[in-house]
Amino acid sequence: MLVLRSQSASILLSIIAAKTNDGATERVANVWDCGPVIRLTGTQFPLWSLARLWHDGGSDYRFGAVMQIKGDYLVNRLVYERFGSKNGLVRYVKYWLLSQVGAYRRFSAYRPGSDQRVVFVCSGNICRSPLAEVYARSLGWEAKSCGLDCRDGFPADPRAREFARGVGLDLEEHSTVNVTSFEFQASDLVVLMEPTHIAAFERKVGKGHTLALAGSYCRPPTPYIHDPFNCCIEFFHRCEHQIMEAVRRMCD
């Protein structure tokens, strides 16, 4: 019996096989989780299919492995695709509870004036804020973006560029800017992605700016939009769609 574990699933593989006539030892193909499909030596099999075995000493192929998906598989898929990570889930719940007692009321859903610039701020200025910037501009608003923890002059994340192309936007010319390099205006509406960004922004840039949390524009509102940088592609797309919803509702 061989137990294979991956980030998003634990798969129990029970091998039912025998040696070939010439005594060659059977081996299990390299197996890793890739969502709802398992890849075995370049061949895709549904999770409920039999695993492929091959023999060291010949070309005879046998199918003799039974897969059983452990109970944590669907739970992990839910967590990683819906919240990005286990930490993402914990933070989502934490900040949602704080929002229910009014902790972020003064950072909720400010409506920008028709002549007001909107500056979107995230951590790295490569995934969330660049998309928000180009989408807001496509809706006719003056918009910029920058990051709290980035260096200047780097392109947007390749997944963000691909997502943008898929919705008719362009991030190919994006270049990261750190908040300390960005020239803020007193009238700017600064839209942040996470509650922790509030203190970080005020520490690096200063107080006195009008701040809002991007998720407060969503329905239902949320104070926290998790950073998708180290997350699976399903959550990455989910996050980018959430960013677009926030911008669309903000600009209505």
Side-chain angles (χ1 to χ4, degrees):
M1 182 177 293
L2 174 64
V3 178
L4 298 167
R5 296 187 182 275
S6 66
Q7 184 180 28
S8 63
S10 296
I11 301 169
L12 181 61
L13 191 61
S14 300
I15 301 173
I16 308 169
K19 290 186 178 181
T20 58
N21 292 334
D22 60 1
T25 304
E26 293 182 332
R27 294 186 290 137
V28 181
N30 184 31
V31 181
W32 66 94
D33 173 53
C34 60
V37 170
I38 295 298
R39 296 182 189 272
L40 299 170
T41 60
T43 304
Q44 293 188 357
F45 294 86
L47 286 174
W48 52 84
S49 72
L50 296 179
R52 180 179 182 180
L53 303 180
W54 84 91
H55 303 284
D56 285 339
S59 59
D60 181 28
Y61 289 86
R62 296 184 184 181
F63 292 83
V66 180
M67 291 183 180
Q68 176 186 345
I69 305 173
K70 296 180 70 175
D72 64 344
Y73 178 77
L74 293 179
V75 173
N76 282 337
R77 286 297 298 267
L78 173 65
V79 169
Y80 286 101
E81 292 182 11
R82 176 69 174 79
F83 301 99
S85 67
K86 292 176 182 177
N87 283 336
L89 171 59
V90 170
R91 292 168 188 164
Y92 178 89
V93 173
K94 170 187 173 181
Y95 294 127
W96 181 84
L97 290 172
L98 288 171
S99 71
Q100 298 308 295
V101 296
Y104 309 115
R105 187 173 294 117
R106 67 189 183 97
F107 305 108
S108 296
Y110 282 98
R111 298 295 175 184
S114 58
D115 58 346
Q116 189 174 22
R117 186 175 69 168
V118 183
V119 181
F120 297 96
V121 179
C122 67
S123 298
N125 194 213
I126 58 173
C127 298
R128 293 171 290 180
S129 59
L131 181 72
E133 174 191 351
V134 295
Y135 187 41
R137 289 208 309 264
S138 76
L139 298 176
W141 292 82
E142 183 183 1
K144 293 288 185 180
S145 69
C146 52
L148 290 161
D149 303 311
C150 65
R151 290 184 291 173
D152 295 345
F154 287 85
D157 187 285
R159 295 164 297 174
R161 300 201 303 269
E162 181 180 5
F163 180 90
R165 286 193 297 270
V167 294
L169 301 172
D170 186 2
L171 281 176
E172 300 305 318
E173 301 302 320
H174 175 76
S175 182
T176 57
V177 179
N178 188 276
V179 291
T180 57
S181 304
F182 188 83
E183 293 186 9
F184 288 91
Q185 300 172 3
S187 60
D188 285 339
L189 170 60
V190 180
V191 180
L192 308 164
M193 303 296 159
E194 307 174 28
T196 56
H197 290 171
I198 298 170
F201 180 87
E202 292 182 338
R203 183 175 65 255
K204 293 185 177 184
V205 179
K207 298 183 178 182
H209 293 277
T210 302
L211 307 180
L213 290 167
S216 66
Y217 297 95
C218 295
R219 295 295 177 270
T222 173
Y224 181 70
I225 298 180
H226 187 65
D227 189 348
F229 180 69
N230 287 319
C231 300
C232 65
I233 193 62
E234 291 86 356
F235 179 77
F236 196 98
H237 287 170
R238 180 183 180 87
C239 176
E240 298 292 63
H241 280 296
Q242 190 176 21
I243 295 293
M244 291 186 68
E245 179 195 357
V247 174
R248 184 170 58 252
R249 291 184 180 277
M250 181 189 71
C251 296
D252 280 346

